[in-house]
Amino acid sequence: MRKIDFVVIGAGIAGLSAANRLARRGSVLVCETEEACGFHASGRSAAFAHFDMDSRLVRALTAASLPLFGRTAARFHPALFIALDGQERKLNSLASDYREWAPRLERLSADEVQGMVPILRTGKGGVVGGLLDKDARKLDAHAMLETHRKSIISAGGEIALRSPIKGLSRQAGRWIVDTPSASYSAKVVINAAGAWVDEIARLASVAPIGIAPLHRTVITFDVVGQHDMRAWPFTKTAGPGFYIEAEGTSRLLACPMDEHPSAPCDAQPGEEDVALTAWRIEQATTLTVPRIASKWAGLRSFAPDREPVVGFDAAAPDFFWLAGQGGFGLQTSPALALAAEAIAAGTDWPEELRAVGVEAGALSPARLD
């Protein structure tokens, strides 16, 4: 039985980014159930980095992450946050939170918002104002995953696809990790299995932490008319509503920001959620959605307090949680990987996290006890 320093369970962005950091600290093996990296949440994200998050901790982790994205992983693209009629207070609160990390944030009138995204309605029931962040980033999830994958292999690490975890047991001070094709003796197990982290914990006879997978829907459709949407900002309502993002010159991606509890699964779009997306777009814009070009769904997994969880389990030696990245896993992955490396390998706390006021205790699973 081979001995491995760090066995990482899950090849999404959380697992791969942490494994990439840990590969310089010891031997690393990533075990992934699916036949490709990033098959679930990481590969189904809108992949945009901004500060419209309710959690100050997540905003701080985003701020720490932005300088760490490589050129192929992120490019500047504006983000526009709009208030529909009745959402003015929410927009004001967002502006206050946002400016801590993006002081160049601009306040826009309804007419200025419509000038940027001409399909938006103004007046009663329509857009009443907005906030523009010209320093937001469009992320390339595939490039991020591939960069980490190649770096892990280059450093001597391994990624075992189609390797679901069948057993986890503690023997002689190490974890025995069983897959269908092999078993490994691990010094540390990193549980980065996304929506399945509590199931992995149960396999190891470790108490779950209450991760809740929430279902989210995305559609794309073609826009008829004389619109070149390439310069349109990523556009998101400040309160309940939707977000939209241009894909090329005439195709629009849309999401109703739905959150339905779900069991861990290969999420699929429901017809009611697809219809809700189209309805919300038609209510707030001049568009009709006659035909859906594509549709998909994903699971965003949250801890009970909706904050990320990074750290060793208090009751299970060398069992490490890397979980609860919700809808912000891509944009916080560089910072969370730094945190995982420092805690799991016992190195100094990263200055990048200290500079934004993030300490290990804020991420620890002990806070959920």
Side-chain angles (χ1 to χ4, degrees):
M1 185 181 300
R2 289 176 52 203
K3 289 187 175 182
I4 305 289
D5 291 320
F6 302 99
V7 169
V8 179
I9 302 173
I13 192 61
L16 287 188
S17 57
N20 189 12
R21 303 290 314 186
L22 290 168
R24 71 198 70 188
R25 306 292 180 184
S27 56
V28 168
L29 169 69
V30 181
C31 291
E32 169 57 47
T33 296
E34 306 296 346
E35 60 185 15
C37 299
F39 183 86
H40 290 286
S42 298
R44 307 180 192 190
S45 168
F48 218 92
H50 54 74
F51 294 102
D52 182 17
M53 300 290 170
D54 290 334
S55 163
R56 186 187 186 278
L57 173 60
V58 174
R59 295 194 295 271
L61 290 165
T62 300
S65 294
L66 290 179
L68 303 176
F69 287 116
R71 290 185 178 181
T72 59
R75 60 180 174 84
F76 285 98
H77 190 82
L80 176 66
F81 305 96
I82 60 174
L84 300 178
D85 196 7
Q87 293 181 339
E88 296 91 335
R89 292 182 63 182
K90 179 64 176 176
L91 192 70
N92 290 338
S93 176
L94 174 60
S96 177
D97 291 338
Y98 210 107
R99 283 198 172 96
E100 179 180 7
W101 307 106
R104 296 205 311 148
L105 186 72
E106 299 177 22
R107 190 72 179 247
L108 303 182
S109 67
D111 288 342
E112 289 172 320
V113 167
Q114 192 182 53
M116 297 194 72
V117 185
I119 60 168
L120 292 171
R121 298 183 188 275
T122 58
K124 184 174 178 60
V127 174
V128 296
L131 302 169
L132 179 64
D133 177 9
K134 294 180 179 179
D135 298 321
R137 311 287 206 283
K138 174 60 180 173
L139 305 179
D140 187 329
H142 176 72
M144 293 170 67
L145 292 164
E146 272 296 284
T147 296
H148 291 309
R149 186 188 67 82
K150 291 177 180 178
S151 295
I152 291 165
I153 294 170
S154 177
E158 300 175 66
I159 300 174
L161 301 176
R162 296 181 291 274
S163 295
I165 304 303
K166 296 300 185 181
L168 279 168
S169 58
R170 191 79 173 156
Q171 295 181 21
R174 296 178 69 90
W175 285 102
I176 305 304
V177 183
D178 297 317
T179 73
S181 60
S183 294
Y184 307 92
S185 173
K187 179 182 177 183
V188 175
V189 165
I190 309 286
N191 183 7
W196 287 264
V197 290
D198 278 349
E199 291 192 3
I200 293 297
R202 291 186 183 98
L203 274 179
S205 297
V206 174
I209 57 174
I211 291 293
L214 300 178
H215 183 282
R216 175 152 288 188
T217 307
V218 177
I219 67 171
T220 67
F221 59 95
D222 293 325
V223 175
V224 178
Q226 302 301 310
H227 299 294
D228 184 348
M229 304 186 297
R230 288 173 294 184
W232 287 7
F234 171 85
T235 303
K236 182 175 183 289
T237 56
F242 58 87
Y243 65 73
I244 55 175
E245 181 181 358
E247 292 197 330
T249 59
S250 60
R251 180 161 289 184
L252 205 61
L253 176 151
C255 172
M257 301 192 292
D258 50 325
E259 289 191 346
H260 306 311
S262 171
C265 66
D266 181 7
Q268 300 297 317
E271 291 306 314
E272 289 186 2
D273 295 319
V274 170
L276 173 66
T277 311
W279 182 83
R280 287 187 175 178
I281 296 302
E282 291 177 346
Q283 291 296 301
T285 74
T286 59
L287 300 177
T288 58
V289 186
R291 187 180 68 84
I292 306 298
S294 62
K295 56 186 177 180
W296 65 90
L299 298 181
R300 304 157 74 244
S301 300
F302 291 92
D305 61 2
R306 297 179 74 92
E307 307 280 23
V309 183
V310 185
F312 284 108
D313 191 277
D318 300 323
F319 187 90
F320 192 96
W321 293 91
L322 181 53
Q325 288 89 5
F328 47 82
L330 285 173
Q331 71 180 57
T332 59
S333 60
L336 290 177
L338 285 174
E341 177 190 22
I343 300 169
T347 61
D348 292 339
W349 191 243
E351 182 55 38
E352 293 92 337
L353 300 185
R354 201 181 305 279
V356 296
V358 174
E359 298 296 339
L363 303 170
S364 172
R367 73 175 193 271
L368 300 173
D369 292 343

